[in-house]
Amino acid sequence: MPELPEVESYRRLAAKAALGRAITEVDAGDAWYLKGGATAEEVSEALVGSKFVAARRRGKLLMLDTAGGTTLGMRFGMSGRLVIDGSAGVDQLLYSPADDGSRRWERFGVRFADGGIMAMDDPRRLGGVELDPDESRLGPDALTVTAGQLEAALAASATPLKARLMDQARLAGVGNLIADEVLWRAGLSPLRPANSLSRNERLRLQKHLRSTIEGMIGAGSHTGKLMPAREVGGVCPRDGTPLTRATVGGRTSWWCPKHQQ
DNA sequence: ATTGTGGCCTGCCCGC
DNA sequence: TGCGGGCAGGCCACAA
């Protein structure tokens, strides 16, 4: 998915354009896209005749609360977008086909009484929707995590720091690109044991988490300073050192072997 | 329980 | 021009 910044853009779009509108129809024809055992009938029953009253986000999970009490949970996988009345929450997603204006990647949709539509586009179909998602499975949101919460998330585990940061149950919202960017800015190796950080290093990490994600909201997760160098032959934008590429936490990772210790 | 791995699904890009 | 391989911002089931 899009990472946290994109989902925050979707949340803002939904808050502005989806709340208070009477829902008349649900298009959940793609059964694969329904998660948590929900059926198209159950989703229709929960939404039709109701309306959304709040748009919330925790990590990369978008939640739309209905007047009836049921919450619609939306996950965007790696290529999902939210579109309301033809207006997308973000312009373009990396690693996703360009928007050609067609609706062939529409996996889920809600029609409003005024004729408008809220839809999820997801070419790769790795996202999904579910009813009443279990928020307790997610750690504190990466944008607003406190120093104490970050300490708890990293404590008592020698697993690589990057893997821990991307563990949604410990800290919600950090994906592969943001993890690399934040560690690069904080000067920390992704391989560092999570529980080996000093207090100062943790505070540095927390500061960069917030500032990096804040700066990416509206701009996109692909706008980091490290991003252009994440390629074969790429060098550190800070000191010119050839970047190291390796799999950490199951994901392709790039970092500067010189200033990230 | 925690941690790492494979796989899911689809489309694009590169090299032959 | 066609084709195979590799890759992709995520997540879940599974095994050790």
Side-chain angles (χ1 to χ4, degrees):
Chain A
M1 110 184 80
E3 298 198 37
L4 190 159
E6 283 75 26
V7 181
E8 176 59 19
S9 294
Y10 300 160
R11 190 197 66 76
R12 293 178 182 182
L13 173 66
K16 184 181 69 175
L19 304 187
R21 301 169 75 178
I23 299 167
T24 57
E25 192 180 334
V26 170
D27 176 6
D30 187 349
W32 162 265
Y33 217 67
L34 300 180
K35 309 299 180 183
T39 65
E41 291 71 29
E42 287 169 345
V43 177
S44 290
E45 190 170 334
L47 301 186
V48 173
S50 188
K51 61 186 179 184
F52 297 121
V53 296
R56 298 179 293 123
R57 180 190 60 73
R58 181 151 175 173
K60 307 179 230 184
L61 172 67
L62 178 62
M63 292 165 286
L64 301 184
D65 299 325
T66 68
T70 302
T71 296
L72 178 68
M74 315 174 87
R75 296 179 190 279
F76 294 88
M78 283 167 65
S79 63
R81 298 199 308 167
L82 186 69
V83 180
I84 300 180
D85 301 334
S87 166
V90 300
D91 291 335
Q92 178 78 48
L93 281 176
L94 209 54
Y95 310 121
S96 179
D99 181 7
D100 59 2
S102 77
R103 293 172 57 189
R104 67 181 157 138
W105 291 310
E106 193 172 303
R107 312 298 184 189
F108 180 83
V110 169
R111 183 176 294 276
F112 299 111
D114 55 28
I117 289 177
M118 180 183 79
M120 278 178 81
D121 280 346
D122 186 358
R124 288 178 62 187
R125 252 167 121 226
L126 288 169
V129 301
E130 66 179 317
L131 297 178
D132 294 324
D134 183 4
E135 292 175 59
S136 70
R137 293 174 56 200
L138 295 172
D141 191 79
L143 178 59
T144 52
V145 65
T146 66
Q149 287 172 328
L150 186 59
E151 182 176 10
L154 302 180
S157 173
T159 203
L161 176 58
K162 181 178 173 182
R164 199 71 164 182
L165 288 178
M166 292 193 301
D167 183 343
Q168 302 301 301
R170 311 281 176 181
L171 185 66
V174 176
N176 197 36
L177 284 186
I178 290 180
D180 275 3
E181 179 73 21
V182 168
L183 291 171
W184 177 79
R185 293 191 188 190
L188 295 168
S189 166
L191 300 175
R192 279 282 293 276
N195 59 5
S196 72
L197 271 61
S198 69
R199 174 179 165 76
N200 278 343
E201 287 174 326
R202 271 202 316 273
L203 292 175
R204 210 162 73 219
L205 181 59
Q206 182 203 12
K207 182 186 75 173
H208 285 291
L209 264 175
R210 176 183 284 267
S211 62
T212 299
I213 294 172
E214 277 181 349
M216 286 175 168
I217 291 175
S221 297
H222 58 285
T223 58
K225 291 186 176 68
L226 178 66
M227 185 66 199
R230 292 175 96 258
E231 59 183 19
V232 175
V235 302
C236 176
R238 182 184 297 182
D239 55 39
T241 305
L243 294 179
T244 299
R245 172 191 169 147
T247 298
V248 181
R251 310 302 301 275
T252 299
S253 307
W254 297 85
W255 71 94
C256 172
K258 182 179 179 190
H259 89 266
Q260 289 182 248
Q261 298 294 323

